[in-house]
Amino acid sequence: MAKKKSLPLRMCIACREMKPKKELVRIVKTPEGEIKLDTVGKLNGRGAYICKCKECLLKAQKTDALSRAFETAVSNEVYTELYKLLEENEQ
């Protein structure tokens, strides 16, 4: 019998739920210290994941979850980019 390949799970930094990697958005702190959205999931650096829902994004922004995950200040521009990405996915 063939083994069924398991789905990689990641935890959302806002709701703390484990979900399949494909259902989450990856945000990366690059080795240069930049914070970027990783839409392809291949950028080098420390990654953090967030659900593709506005509730989790609002909670992450309110609790400053990205700043804690990356141990550095995260600008509001990153959250703005995330909001735009979520709006594009909804359409």
Side-chain angles (χ1 to χ4, degrees), residues 12 15 17 19 23-25 49-53 56-57 86:
C12 171
C15 66
E17 283 183 36
K19 295 190 177 181
E23 291 178 20
L24 303 167
V25 178
Y49 294 84
I50 190 164
C51 295
K52 293 178 181 175
C53 68
C56 282
L57 188 49
L86 291 181

Side-chain angles (χ1 to χ4, degrees), residues 28-78:
V28 176
K29 179 182 177 186
T30 64
E32 295 79 38
E34 285 182 90
I35 308 291
K36 294 182 175 182
L37 296 188
D38 185 6
T39 52
V40 291
K42 302 266 189 248
L43 288 177
N44 277 344
R46 172 109 174 105
Y49 294 84
I50 190 164
C51 295
K52 293 178 181 175
C53 68
K54 287 190 178 172
E55 293 79 25
C56 282
L57 188 49
L58 285 169
K59 186 174 182 180
Q61 193 169 13
K62 187 177 177 182
T63 60
D64 217 13
L66 280 175
S67 294
R68 277 185 284 129
F70 295 131
E71 297 177 347
T72 188
V74 174
S75 71
N76 281 332
E77 292 167 20
V78 173

